[in-house]
Amino acid sequence: MFDLKAVDDVHERLEQYESLLKQHGLIQESHQASPEKETPYHVSNGHSTSRSTPEPSTGRLLAGRGKSRYLDSALWQNLVEEELNPSSEEEDETENLQAAATSCALDPVSAAMFGSSSSAQSLVELHPIYEDALKLWEIFASRVEPITRTFHVASGLAIVKRAASNPSSVSKATECLLFATYHFAVVAMTEDECMEVTGRPRARLRSRFHDATRQALINAHFLRTTDTVVLQAYVLFLLAVRNSYDPHTFWILTGIATRIAQRIGLHRDGEQLGLKPFNVEMRRRLFWQLFPLDGMAAQLCGVRISVPYETWDTKKPLNVNDEDLYPDMVEPPIERQGATDMIFCLVRSQLNDFHHKTHTYLGESWETGDLTTIERVEAEIAELESDIESRFVRHCDFFEPLQCLTIAMAKSATSGARLRLRLPRGKAGGEMSVDEHRNLFRMAMKILDYKIAVRTNPALEIYSWHLQALNQWEPLIWVLNELRKGPTAVADYQGTWTKIELIYACHPEFTTRKRALNVAVNKLTLKAYENRANAEGHSMAEPSFIADLRSSLDKREGSRTQPMPPYNPWEPQSEELPMPIDPALAGDGDATITNATVDGFSPNGIDWMFWDQLIRDPDSLPMSATNL
């Protein structure tokens, strides 16, 4: 029998020798790029036309057998291709590890990260039956994929069909992707829907696929992987658990994904790397999911993003439908005008790009009185709004759920940008007039109006897994503080409290979760309501959610007298991840704050010390006597 791996090695070395001969001018350079599956590529020094002054790319991409590794280190670059291909060498090392005794840890670090078994485990028995696998894929494709766009749907369906018909034949990388997909599909369903689709309780099925995904990642040695499919699975896993994990733990996990992406070269645009058009597009899609996710996690932990803006040049995905893409295409697809499958992700990418470019100097501008910069940012926000309106929003159909969500996100994000531009003025310590307070209050209420409209739209229930995470704390805190201080900035006292009640109705987790920020906002809400007597002529009946808040806070205070068990950050603390499960990195974190970044209302400009002071003492923000 032929040794297929040996044949592949021969072909790969021939391609490497050919590359060397071309570099030294011994054979003519071909105008057609060789397939990236076999050939190592060098990175050009070109930049994306849509980015501003990224660092010059001096690295190179080594690719082969479906894997890739980006090298930007002098040590590695001094090794020529025929001496060492990191992707293939690591693959050989993995095969040697797999030949070792099964009692030994195949990848002890990967296993330790998830607190699971230190040895590889077969997951064949955990795969759903063929019919259920296709049902779960259909849920994923209709509810998750429109928001994430990490798949080429036709290719993904083919993978699921092949794997579900013979689970024992799938590769470890594909198995990661399958379980990540099944897990996300369960996350995206309600309890009743899960029983109807699978005949099993949601909590039990979610726990099963959650643990299976973690173990599949361990089996694939995800910490050492150079396989984009494994990274894709890991990113989907992170997106699915973002509402359940402790924010500090979650930041570490997104940091791991970022490091893997850098090793693969995802931060460098695939077009400049000479990759096939299909792979270029899929890499861009994955990068623009991971980059905002890691930025969000970092900001909530009080640190800067780990991939600085100037160190990457990956372009945004093209505005195309999935039908415009196929794996063997040799030319990039022609971009469409108007709404496509990518509309939500593209608007979100443009908003995130804007936030990362502008957030660093907004607070400083108010502190230094740099009105020129503030006016320039105002103009940039207007330009951003106009561009999104002309390219995307005006083409949207309000009755198409994804496009309706896109409209709301675009409107809310640009309003949020204007609000964030003005809020640092309060932090800077200058007096704000009554008119300024009223203007900020109107801006904040406008953002909350968009949020309520989205959460109460029945057509958007299919995205409830995503909407649950959307909580824009800045406008809510500002509104509550204005209510607490009295009716000076509040035009419609009764209407404002009605909307706050709707916010709490949309987010029942506000009163059930014990996160520090949730508790602080709940206390602020009660204080604001209790000070309603200061609003002359604005008497109102007590809303039912106020009683629920009091009860929740009373229970929390009562629980403090009970002995607390030792805290273990590795154990799940959220009701979202049912017990029992293997020891995980789950916790009841602040992830409800998180995904505002991913949907354009970035916490990059949030100064949590400022908000903490404002919650504790709303009178710390001076108000001018003018116009009182």
Side-chain angles (χ1 to χ4, degrees):
M1 295 180 62
F2 289 105
D3 185 344
L4 295 180
K5 184 176 184 300
V7 173
D8 287 340
D9 285 341
V10 171
H11 283 294
E12 186 166 354
R13 287 190 177 275
L14 285 173
E15 294 288 343
Q16 292 171 350
Y17 295 148
E18 181 183 3
S19 176
L20 285 171
L21 292 171
K22 289 177 180 178
Q23 290 176 36
H24 291 85
L26 299 178
I27 62 175
Q28 185 175 0
E29 180 75 20
S30 172
H31 293 289
Q32 182 175 0
S34 301
E36 74 276 16
K37 182 177 181 180
E38 300 290 341
T39 309
Y41 288 89
H42 293 270
V43 179
S44 72
N45 290 326
H47 307 310
S48 166
T49 56
S50 62
R51 299 293 322 289
S52 60
T53 62
E55 289 182 352
S57 173
T58 58
R60 67 185 181 187
L61 186 76
L62 300 182
R65 300 173 190 166
K67 300 183 179 182
S68 65
R69 181 165 178 181
Y70 183 79
L71 301 179
D72 199 12
S73 162
L75 173 63
W76 284 94
Q77 289 186 30
N78 288 334
L79 296 173
V80 296
E81 284 92 340
E82 75 273 17
E83 291 174 341
L84 180 62
N85 184 330
S87 295
S88 61
E89 288 296 325
E90 288 175 1
E91 184 174 302
D92 293 339
E93 181 182 351
T94 298
E95 291 173 355
N96 292 334
L97 286 169
Q98 290 172 339
T102 56
S103 59
C104 297
L106 296 183
D107 189 352
V109 180
S110 293
M113 284 298 301
F114 277 153
S116 299
S117 170
S118 61
S119 60
Q121 297 180 10
S122 173
L123 300 174
V124 173
E125 297 300 321
L126 295 180
H127 283 265
I129 62 175
Y130 184 86
E131 291 77 10
D132 284 352
L134 293 186
K135 290 178 183 178
L136 291 171
W137 168 258
E138 183 178 349
I139 294 291
F140 177 88
S142 62
R143 300 189 178 191
V144 177
E145 181 60 13
I147 301 293
T148 60
R149 285 296 168 198
T150 60
F151 269 95
H152 179 246
V153 174
S155 301
L157 177 59
I159 292 172
V160 172
K161 285 182 175 179
R162 287 196 303 268
S165 62
N166 187 10
S168 62
S169 67
V170 301
S171 68
K172 288 182 172 59
T174 300
E175 190 167 53
C176 289
L177 194 57
L178 289 170
F179 279 120
T181 302
Y182 300 150
H183 173 242
F184 217 149
V186 175
V187 170
M189 286 190 286
T190 65
E191 176 65 33
D192 292 341
E193 290 169 339
C194 194
M195 288 297 298
E196 181 180 350
V197 171
T198 68
R200 295 178 178 83
R202 180 178 182 269
R204 182 185 305 172
L205 206 57
R206 182 176 181 183
S207 177
R208 169 183 171 179
F209 290 140
H210 173 271
D211 291 351
T213 305
R214 291 190 297 132
Q215 186 61 50
L217 289 167
I218 292 169
N219 291 351
H221 321 299
F222 78 104
L223 288 182
R224 299 190 290 109
T225 191
T226 54
D227 194 328
T228 307
V229 173
V230 176
L231 177 60
Q232 179 186 1
Y234 184 44
V235 171
L236 287 173
F237 178 73
L238 292 177
L239 286 167
V241 301
R242 60 187 177 177
N243 295 333
S244 305
Y245 278 26
D246 170 79
H248 300 283
T249 300
F250 189 73
W251 174 53
I252 298 298
L253 296 181
T254 60
I256 291 172
T258 301
R259 294 295 173 267
I260 296 172
Q262 287 178 298
R263 181 166 58 208
I264 293 175
L266 220 61
H267 62 303
R268 295 302 185 189
D269 193 71
E271 190 174 36
Q272 302 296 333
L273 299 174
L275 302 181
K276 290 180 180 179
F278 179 82
N279 290 348
V280 168
E281 192 64 16
M282 300 313 296
R283 287 167 66 98
R284 288 173 179 171
R285 292 185 179 189
L286 185 57
F287 174 84
W288 280 96
Q289 278 295 331
L290 174 57
F291 175 64
L293 189 66
D294 184 53
M296 165 272 296
Q299 292 296 333
L300 290 174
C301 290
V303 297
R304 292 187 179 273
I305 58 174
S306 56
V307 183
Y309 185 83
E310 68 275 3
T311 62
W312 51 271
D313 58 13
T314 304
K315 297 178 183 179
K316 299 180 185 67
L318 297 176
N319 188 33
V320 296
N321 290 322
D322 264 19
E323 65 188 39
D324 302 321
L325 300 171
Y326 55 95
D328 295 326
M329 63 194 310
V330 295
E331 296 291 337
I334 299 175
E335 279 202 279
R336 294 174 180 256
Q337 299 295 319
T340 68
D341 297 340
M342 289 295 298
I343 187 169
F344 182 86
C345 291
L346 287 176
V347 171
R348 181 175 56 191
S349 298
Q350 188 165 346
L351 291 168
N352 275 285
D353 198 21
F354 174 82
H355 288 309
H356 283 288
K357 286 189 295 186
T358 60
H359 83 273
T360 55
Y361 49 78
L362 293 185
E364 296 176 359
S365 299
W366 282 111
E367 292 173 1
T368 60
D370 183 5
L371 298 181
T372 301
T373 299
I374 294 170
E375 291 173 358
R376 177 166 60 83
V377 176
E378 280 276 14
E380 289 177 356
I381 294 174
E383 183 180 356
L384 171 72
E385 186 175 42
S386 176
D387 185 49
I388 291 177
E389 176 72 29
S390 61
R391 292 181 58 202
F392 301 110
V393 172
R394 73 184 183 92
H395 300 286
C396 287
D397 179 357
F398 184 81
F399 295 100
E400 202 284 322
L402 183 67
Q403 295 177 29
C404 175
L405 185 60
T406 302
I407 295 172
M409 176 181 67
K411 300 289 187 182
S412 176
T414 50
S415 296
R418 290 189 171 94
L419 178 67
R420 265 197 337 278
L421 178 62
R422 290 165 174 79
L423 286 180
R425 171 154 160 66
K427 175 189 172 185
E431 290 188 346
M432 296 179 65
S433 68
V434 173
D435 287 342
E436 286 179 297
H437 274 271
R438 288 173 177 168
N439 188 33
L440 284 175
F441 186 85
R442 284 192 294 267
M443 287 184 179
M445 287 303 302
K446 184 178 181 181
I447 297 168
L448 296 182
D449 285 341
Y450 285 125
K451 178 183 179 63
I452 292 170
V454 167
R455 288 306 308 267
T456 56
N457 187 338
L460 300 182
E461 280 298 311
I462 58 174
Y463 304 129
S464 59
W465 65 269
H466 177 71
L467 299 177
Q468 182 185 6
L470 299 181
N471 188 34
Q472 297 169 351
W473 292 102
E474 286 178 304
L476 178 59
I477 291 173
W478 189 267
V479 166
L480 289 171
N481 268 295
E482 292 298 308
L483 288 169
R484 181 184 177 185
K485 290 186 294 184
T488 304
V490 185
D492 183 2
Y493 207 77
Q494 178 72 52
T496 300
W497 275 107
T498 299
K499 290 177 181 178
I500 291 178
E501 184 173 13
L502 282 173
I503 293 290
Y504 272 87
C506 293
H507 288 279
E509 69 276 5
F510 277 16
T511 56
T512 59
R513 290 177 176 169
K514 299 179 181 179
R515 299 168 181 168
L517 186 56
N518 284 92
V519 173
V521 172
N522 289 343
K523 289 182 177 180
L524 177 60
T525 303
L526 278 179
K527 290 178 181 178
Y529 184 78
E530 288 166 356
N531 287 350
R532 70 193 185 283
N534 294 330
E536 298 179 3
H538 294 283
S539 60
M540 53 182 286
E542 180 174 290
S544 59
F545 82 99
I546 293 294
D548 294 337
L549 281 183
R550 287 200 182 96
S551 176
S552 174
L553 292 173
D554 288 344
K555 288 180 180 178
R556 175 178 171 81
E557 293 298 324
S559 67
R560 291 184 174 182
T561 62
Q562 303 297 322
M564 296 291 292
Y567 174 67
N568 182 356
W570 305 98
E571 290 291 341
Q573 310 229 348
S574 171
E575 296 177 358
E576 295 295 326
L577 290 178
M579 296 291 285
I581 63 173
D582 290 342
L585 297 177
D588 194 17
D590 285 332
T592 36
I593 317 170
T594 63
N595 307 308
T597 303
V598 182
D599 281 333
F601 193 84
S602 168
N604 289 342
I606 295 179
D607 185 334
W608 293 116
M609 293 181 65
F610 168 60
W611 286 112
D612 180 65
Q613 178 187 2
L614 200 58
I615 289 176
R616 294 174 184 271
D617 182 15
D619 296 325
S620 62
L621 183 63
M623 179 184 292
S624 170
T626 305
N627 296 327
L628 279 177

